[in-house]
Amino acid sequence: MDFILEPLNLVTFFPLAGVLLLLFIRKDGPARWISLVTSLITFGIALWVLALFDPGQAGLQLEVNHHWFSFSGWEIRYALGIDGLSILLVLLTAFLTPISILSTWHAVEDRVRDFQLFFLLLEVGMTGVFLAQDLFLFYVFWEFTLVPMYFLIGIWGGEKRMYAAIKFFLYTMAGSILMLLAILWLGIDGGSFYVPQLIEQGGIPADIQVWLFLAFAAAFAIKVPMWPLHSWLPDAHVQAPTAGSVILAGVLLKMGTYGFLRFNIPLFPQAAVQLAPLMATLAVIGILYGAAVSFSQTDVKKLVAYSSISHLGFVVLGLFALNEQGIAGAILQMVNHGISTGALFLIVGFIYERRHTRELDQFGGLWKIMPVYAVITLIVSLSSMGLPGLNGFVGEFTILLGAWGAANGPLGSYLYAALAALGVILAAIYMLFMFQKMFLGPLTNKKNENLLDLSRREILIMVPLLVFIFWIGLYPKPFFGLMAASVEQLVALVGGLP
Amino acid sequence: MLLSEATNPGGAFSLVPWIVFFPAIGLLLNLAVGKRMGEKFIGTVASLAAGLAFAVSAALFFALQANHGEAVAVPFLDWIRIGEFNAGWHFRVDTLSVTMMLVVSGIGTLIHIYAAGYMHYDVRYKEDPAAYNRFFIYLNLFIAMMMILVSGDNYLMLFVGWEGVGLCSFLLIGFWYNRSPDGTPGTGNSYAAKKAFIANRVGDFGFLMAVFTTFWVTRSLQFDEVFHAVESGEVPVWAVWAITLFMLLGVTGKSAQIPLYVWLPDAMAGPTPVSALIHAATMVTAGVYLIARSAPIFSSIEAVHNVVAWVGAGTALFAASIAVGQYDIKKVLAYSTVSQLGFMVAAVGMGAYAAGMFHLVMHAFFKALLFLGSGSVILAVERGHHPIGEDAEHAKHADHGHDDHGHAFDPQDMRNMGGLRTRIPWTFWTYMMGALALAGIPPWSGFFSKDEILTDALHFNVSLYVVLTLAAFLTAFYMGRQVWLVFFGAPRSHGAEAAKESPPTILAPLVVLAGLSMFGGFLNFPVLHQFGHWLEYTLGHLYHATDFLWEVALGSTAFALAAIYVSWLVYGQKPRRTVKEKDPLEKAIPGLFAGMNAKWWVDEIYEDLIIRPYQKLAAFLADVVDWRFWHDWFHDRVLRDGFFGITRFLAQPVDLGVIDGIANGLARLAQGSAAALSVLQTGFVRNYALWVFVGVVSILGFLIFR
């Protein structure tokens, strides 16, 4: 019993309680409520974890660490732990899940029970990814998230859902296999899969570090996705149901950037310094490319999907600035992107439920008839394009500041930050383009004349997101406070390296 | 209060956050209950919010005087703090920031009052009375943001206001988002709004770069610390160049200088009070404020002065030439604003910070007056042309419903006006005060401030002086042209014929501003320089009092009078009779006039050189590179088909019954869906399992045989 009541076990596996209940439920209504309540309790547990968390401490906290099994002399541990690098992502997962579930109230009418079941399973996998401290356990969670997401896209998705689901699955798998090889190498060579121990041991020769780094990076870069490995993303997003897109953009993609942060940088610090310019180059290309391609989309959802590539480029750039500003900004930007892009996908979902189209030229002048929807969209768009005073700016600014500072460090050039900052202009271009096409101008399409403004439930979904958009934008101190000690420690780890 | 005791400077200074809070409260109040309470309530709340901000600014002014002009920092709240980076919500009260606060909230309050009257009509002409509330929410938001801009104690907080006012500008330019600038339904206004935001974003990019450079060379963004680092010579020369030039890019965006000025004339799509407050008196002067604020940086390298001053002077002349060729009453004023901002930028660029700031304040008076006056003119013509509400009851021509010919009539086109002098005398006389001030006729305010700039220019560089004097000549000329066209001659349309004087809420602010435009110049009377000495507390040794040169003063007055005389010869002597006839200048100098009228085709050049190429590039990347090549061909053809080809080849000989069995078993377990099941049975999981198997075998092989 004590084992079950460990906070980290509870926050990870509590959704399974809902899954168990759901197995005995046939009706749609109760299934939705069970799922929502389960995820809300999980969010409560996450807040409890937050209360137990000591921000002053850099290392892992609330650890659960047991022998799991041995395999011909190599020990696999069941090890969970939380620190400043992961706590915000755990909270984000627990926060976005109930919001996504609430968004399915009318959007998912088909086989509701199964949908909710997969959704809760997905939450288990995601939280596990952010908490696992044993490479093998991490890999299990990492792969596990694929299964529910595969079904969420494959069953409840759009027209080409099978194509998208398989593509999503295969691409992630392809990268994962390289990571698996690297994990096995590490475990066998280091005698353990326990990450803190591997970090402490260090001692991996620099040339091997590079190979291992690249193997891990393959998995993570596909997940992020970094240019040019992004080809699965537009398919997955466009086909996924709204809630799936929210979680996909909001949390699943962060598993990639988190992987860089948790494994690539501390496990292979020399390689991280050495390869930082490469990573930053890909990141900057992604920022500009994603923004340009986004501008040319006619499908709103695809536009938002490509904007993710641009935004996550900022995150990767910040990570490989390898200084406090860059990394702290990157972590915050993961949260920001989860909130803003999650909100954007919800917004796209609202209009899709009403009009069953996402083509920009079908809209125009919606402000007049849907003012609440318009204002909320405007705020979220501004957050996404980094308006100061809203959350996106704080993340982007600190990332760019870090990247600029890294010109005298691992990056070696101001060009990265300067080109990335151009992305801020391009972001304004595609976001305003979207906003204008949807909301401004005269209302010309007769089909839009009788659209209803957001319902109370829809507003209720958006309000928590808006609260964080303003809170992080105006007073990010508590958020930075949670991560500061861990970030400082991480930077110190790579700091002295050439 | 949230201020901690240790940092509380006490007294009125601790009130400074309220310059932001009052407008914020005003907007929240209107947001919450405005719709239910009606126009009177909305207008009162919003005006009161701005008025209270002015009261606080005035209190700060007196507190600062009592403090002998000594700057006071008022920390309010932490904001971003990571490692050694620290930028807080910290306010700064010094003579420069208080000057801006007074201008913003003072003019702001007057314009709120004016707008309470003006928007009553405007929302009815646009057939959307509910928009009244939205307008005042935006307007209060603007005051709050502008106050953040001028009162921040570090560059990052300044930047919050900087982009925040840009947002308000976007919202207000696109206020009638479903119309075009001529009032008909369309997308014109929304394009103008977007253009403003994006042009400003380009400038903001420069600002951000300047901030990054500043922080990494001085390790701070707090003004005093940055200036101290620069003045102590720790900062390398390249960094000063980078900071100042990037900042200048920001200034060209916000303060509409070459090359980014193009958004400002289009910004006139916003309702007239917006043009007056945001796009003439306050927001667009933020760039001038930024340079004056950063005086120690700009003055640390002599050559930087040249660059900034020439950008300003070039803009002053270029924009003035365009103003000559416009027919839209607001477009003339818009280009005039660009031109006058050029004067200010030239001034602060030369290092004549006090002169630049002085012109900023004077310009805020007379240009706000002119815009509000033009609004009153437009309203008068519109009400004459197509009476609504109480007007309609009194109108003799009740048959002039707007559907007949309403949308074809442009109440802003000066060709449709004429003879308004006698019909709207209050508007006319106040407008004259603004026009004379702008033309630089003594003793109107504009004369004093422009004279200081010209004198400084003469000391700085003679050719700069010549350029600015030419710009001043054109200024007086296009103002003369405008006044003759609008107010003199005979009415050229029914709207002008039946024009109606505006109500007192509109006229009262005009009268106050007319007073300021007449007598404002005495704020910095030559020799006394009260205003200059007030700023000296902030500028320190970078301040210099501009001497008074009779030859410059007499010269510029003579030029201005000559320009007005020429404009009378061209436009006043034989007034235009019909709407259609050609402009006299068009007959006299057709080529030149075409260029000025077409704004020297700059918009078209940008369209061809930047906008279209970017659209094409984006489309190319999206369709060809990303989709057809990368998505369809490489991934679907090469990767996927290749992958399936290989696996099929491998799967046949290595087809282990075990794997099949497991796969099918798994499939049955998960069988929620027939669709999913069918996929599982097409061999997908089998292939996956096979690959995992191959991977594990090779790893084991490697481990055993290495």
Side-chain angles (χ1 to χ4, degrees), chain B residues 1-67:
Chain B
M1 296 247 10
L2 284 154
L3 293 165
S4 65
E5 285 303 316
T7 51
N8 192 341
F13 291 114
S14 58
L15 288 175
V16 58
W18 286 93
I19 60 172
V20 178
F21 291 160
F22 277 127
I25 291 169
L27 89 90
L28 290 175
L29 208 58
N30 275 335
L31 193 64
V33 297
K35 214 178 264 176
R36 258 170 285 159
M37 304 297 284
E39 288 187 3
K40 283 258 158 55
F41 175 88
I42 296 166
T44 312
V45 165
S47 306
L48 214 57
L52 286 170
F54 179 70
V56 174
S57 307
L60 292 171
F61 171 79
F62 290 116
L64 199 53
Q65 272 198 327
N67 205 31

Side-chain angles (χ1 to χ4, degrees), chain A residues 54 221 226 363 478:
Chain A
D54 171 16
M226 285 172 70
F363 304 117

Side-chain angles (χ1 to χ4, degrees), chain A residues 111 162-163 167 171 173 181 184 188 228 230 235 289 296 306 325 385 388 401 404 424 436 441 473-474 477, chain B residues 78-79 82 89 138 163 177-178 186 190 194 201 212 216 619 626 630-631 635-636 672 679 688 699 703:
Chain A
R111 306 178 51 202
M162 287 321 300
Y163 168 80
K167 196 168 178 182
Y171 275 71
M173 277 310 307
L181 287 173
L184 289 174
I188 291 160
H230 60 274
D235 289 315
Y289 181 91
S296 226
Y306 276 106
Q325 288 81 14
M385 60 193 252
L401 185 75
W404 190 269
V424 176
Q436 183 197 19
L474 294 172
K477 194 180 179 182
Chain B
D78 265 359
W79 186 27
I82 312 154
W89 297 106
Y138 291 169
E163 276 230 328
Y177 53 82
N178 50 8
S190 66
K194 196 172 72 168
R201 264 273 156 133
F212 297 145
W216 288 109
D626 198 76
W630 196 238
H631 181 274
H635 285 259
D636 284 1
V679 171
Y688 161 46
I699 295 161
L703 292 172

Side-chain angles (χ1 to χ4, degrees), chain A residues 193-213:
Chain A
F193 290 95
Y194 183 53
V195 179
Q197 191 183 331
L198 288 171
I199 294 173
E200 202 179 323
Q201 282 172 357
I204 308 170
D207 52 334
I208 295 184
Q209 275 194 24
V210 169
W211 288 109
L212 293 172
F213 182 102

